[in-house]
Amino acid sequence: MPDGTECPIQFASQTLNRVQQKYMQVDKEAYAIIFGVKKFYGRKFTLITDKQAISKIFGEHKGLPVMKSSDHAKADAMSRIPMDEADPYNLVEEADVIELNQIETLPLTAAELAQATAEDKTVRNLIQEIKYGQRFGVDKTEFSLKKNCLLRSIRVVVPSVLGRRVLKELHCTHFGTTRTKSLARAYCWWVGMDHDIEEMISNCAECQSVRPNSVKTRLHCWEMPTMPFQRVHVDFAGPFQDTYFFILVDAYSKWPEIKVCKCTTAESTVKMCREIFATFGAS
């Protein structure tokens, strides 16, 4: 007002729905800001709050003044007398809409996903764990259930029976391993998803044909040996029928020595080298 006093222009309030009532206090305070901006948007404004939860987000170094409730009575008065009637524009929680839309982006319907979720033992056990227990250390806050479909954050948990269909959709553009993983992580999740994508890409001839060539490195040329067993090259082959083949080749004569072994430990390797050197000698 001209004399410097403040007078309210309009009040607004909203009763939280069942989902919002479960928010942490800081989330409730943040949602109040969102509600106010949506309700009164259209011109520049200054936000004033006395809530410590919000103050912790912005921090005093951001320039947010510290206020007491006695200095904030105009808003406090309305916050303690919320409307009893349901808000016709808040019948569906915004987060629910986002999560349900996330399901519809996949190449399957919510009904198909719900049925497969109910039939998949692994996902069904996970749902029971989230609802009733913490035996496996599952973080319940990561998961939610929408129309009997399980979501991890905003990613849809895909039962194994539908995994192949989702992989086919992800693979249709032949993006390669890294981009396909990035795309998948934005929409869905299942146990072993990264491994399944890697296996799918590695077995695709088209993906492999456009794969960038490995960075060429300078070849190292060994000095030519002057006598047998001056330098040898060794490697293991296998496993084949639960056995390995220890292969040693003399660089000078190209003479090969092969030994069959059951393990590839350092002790076993040293023992086989000593046997070969005891026969042919070492320069």
Side-chain angles (χ1 to χ4, degrees), residues 257-274:
E257 281 290 317
I258 301 176
K259 289 184 174 292
V260 179
C261 57
K262 290 294 184 181
C263 63
T264 61
T265 62
E267 292 79 6
S268 174
T269 303
V270 170
K271 180 180 178 181
M272 289 184 289
C273 285
R274 285 177 174 172

Side-chain angles (χ1 to χ4, degrees), residues 99-124:
E99 292 172 340
L100 293 174
N101 288 341
Q102 192 79 343
I103 296 174
E104 297 302 326
T105 61
L106 298 178
L108 44 89
T109 65
E112 290 177 314
L113 184 61
Q115 181 178 353
T117 298
E119 297 173 353
D120 189 287
K121 183 178 180 180
T122 302
V123 181
R124 191 169 64 246

Side-chain angles (χ1 to χ4, degrees), residues 102-161:
Q102 192 79 343
I103 296 174
E104 297 302 326
T105 61
L106 298 178
L108 44 89
T109 65
E112 290 177 314
L113 184 61
Q115 181 178 353
T117 298
E119 297 173 353
D120 189 287
K121 183 178 180 180
T122 302
V123 181
R124 191 169 64 246
N125 290 343
L126 180 57
I127 293 175
Q128 295 300 312
E129 167 66 14
I130 293 167
K131 285 183 176 179
Y132 305 114
Q134 281 282 24
R135 292 172 298 168
F136 304 108
V138 177
D139 185 358
K140 296 181 180 181
T141 61
E142 290 189 32
F143 295 89
S144 61
L145 201 62
K146 304 297 179 192
K147 290 190 175 181
N148 296 320
C149 302
L150 185 64
L151 294 97
R152 183 175 184 179
S153 185
I154 62 169
R155 297 184 295 168
V156 182
V157 178
V158 179
S160 56
V161 69

Side-chain angles (χ1 to χ4, degrees), residues 10-11 32 35 49 74 94 96 106 114 148 155 162-163 185 199 228 253 259 268 275 281:
Q10 184 177 351
F11 288 106
F35 169 76
T49 178
K74 297 180 181 65
E94 289 89 341
D96 294 344
L106 298 178
N148 296 320
R155 297 184 295 168
L162 299 176
R185 290 167 185 166
E199 185 178 24
S253 64
K259 289 184 174 292
S268 174
E275 292 176 355

Side-chain angles (χ1 to χ4, degrees), residues 44 47 75 83 96 118 135 160 176 181 189 198 259 266 272:
K44 185 177 180 180
L47 172 68
M83 296 182 299
D96 294 344
R135 292 172 298 168
S160 56
K181 284 183 181 179
W189 176 85
E198 291 171 0
K259 289 184 174 292
M272 289 184 289

